[in-house]
Amino acid sequence: MWQRFCQQQQQQRLPHALLLSGVAGLGKQQFAKAIVANVLCMSLKNDNSPCGQCHSCQLLSAGNHPDHIEIMPEEVGKQIKIDQIRGLKEKQQLTTSVASWKSIIISPADAMNVSANNSLLKLLEEPQQNTLLILVSDKPERLPITIRSRCQSYPFSSPPTEQALAWLATQNVNNQNDELEKILQLASGAPIKVLEMLDANINEQYQQIERDFDAILSGQANPIALATSWKNFELSEVLQYLHYLIKKRLIELMKTEQKSTKNRHYLKISDCIMSTIKLTSSLNNVNKTLLTEDFIVSVMQITHNSEYKVR
Ligand SMILES: [Zn+2]
């Protein structure tokens, strides 16, 4: 991906807008920042990396470059508002003051609300000379197609497991008892996400979620209380983990028994998890507590009235 960018830059074929997409934890932010450092540097080195010495490089590393803007929600998890995008237009019309390019990072781009999207679309329709707009998104499907189609796509994909584990080893994280491989799977193969998960003591969280899930299966859970307690977790991560659990249990079950009621239940629950995952990723501003309650109730209905002994 980096080579592709360098090639475009050297051939002076850089587009006006890029969309860096892919699951969280693949380094899209770092990549966007590296691009910015490159286009703003006034004397790139022979290997196309920024010199780190010029006035422009120094301003950027001081976090105070007049030709660079970063737009993000004012609070984590909130929307990017139209005023934040409107300001860009005025800024874009100014000439550059230090570098020969202007750069803008919008991240996460899918956090823009409808009016912010419309305002950005106008900018994309009238691209300015030597201005590079970089959109970063874990959920590009939430961006309007009119915006996506005006950006050149840089899709990030997860590296092969071996490569990810090897990189994690360079960060002093080692694969003990295949634990790391499990976490990597839960992180959709994204190694930087694994580091974050380990920092957040994810194993304890998952043990709690597994206990809760067993309570749901055996009909002992209180959906309202549980949905409230799950507010402490990222819902999409809980669902990914449940999906992983149910898959694992299905595989174990298929080793021991032929068709059983439990087998059918697990398949139904798996469908239920998948459709809830779809809902969380397709809807902005979804009421997550309500969605969680609905999910728990649906699973309890599947296992209701059956002799349910967990595992
Ligand atoms: Zn420089």
Side-chain angles (χ1 to χ4, degrees), residues 37 40-44 50-58:
L40 294 184
C41 177
M42 301 303 287
S43 63
L44 283 176
C51 73
Q53 310 284 325
C54 68
H55 186 42
S56 188
C57 278
Q58 281 174 354

Side-chain angles (χ1 to χ4, degrees), residues 179-278:
E179 263 310 286
L180 195 57
E181 224 172 309
K182 169 181 143 190
I183 299 175
L184 185 63
Q185 222 178 348
L186 292 168
S188 310
I192 300 171
K193 178 81 184 172
V194 171
L195 293 183
E196 284 169 19
M197 288 164 93
L198 290 172
D199 274 349
N201 227 344
I202 210 75
N203 262 335
E204 266 168 45
Q205 284 187 23
Y206 284 142
Q207 278 160 14
Q208 179 61 45
I209 294 167
E210 186 162 4
R211 282 195 294 273
D212 292 343
F213 188 51
D214 284 338
I216 296 174
L217 293 181
S218 57
Q220 284 159 5
N222 173 341
I224 296 171
L226 198 51
T228 309
S229 116
W230 279 4
K231 268 198 211 166
N232 298 320
F233 309 124
E234 181 63 47
L235 180 58
S236 58
E237 283 175 17
V238 172
L239 292 166
Q240 288 295 347
Y241 182 60
L242 293 182
H243 192 235
Y244 164 85
L245 267 185
I246 208 92
K247 257 195 328 200
K248 201 175 84 178
R249 290 187 185 184
L250 256 174
I251 293 168
E252 278 170 20
L253 200 62
M254 275 143 89
K255 280 185 202 155
T256 54
E257 297 168 56
Q258 285 298 307
K259 304 220 164 182
S260 68
T261 330
K262 214 174 190 179
N263 200 319
R264 274 205 314 279
H265 285 167
Y266 280 173
L267 287 171
K268 272 194 193 164
I269 294 169
S270 172
D271 285 348
C272 191
I273 296 171
M274 285 318 286
S275 57
T276 314
I277 290 177
K278 263 192 207 141

Side-chain angles (χ1 to χ4, degrees), residues 34-51:
I35 288 180
V36 167
N38 252 49
V39 296
L40 294 184
C41 177
M42 301 303 287
S43 63
L44 283 176
K45 293 200 254 182
N46 285 341
D47 65 355
N48 212 46
S49 61
C51 73

Side-chain angles (χ1 to χ4, degrees), residues 272-306:
C272 191
I273 296 171
M274 285 318 286
S275 57
T276 314
I277 290 177
K278 263 192 207 141
L279 280 176
T280 56
S281 63
S282 63
L283 299 171
N284 264 325
N285 287 328
V286 61
N287 182 333
K288 289 195 174 148
T289 314
L290 213 59
L291 192 65
T292 313
E293 279 173 27
D294 281 352
F295 167 75
I296 295 169
V297 169
S298 312
V299 174
M300 287 174 92
Q301 279 167 348
I302 294 172
T303 55
H304 183 62
N305 276 344
S306 58

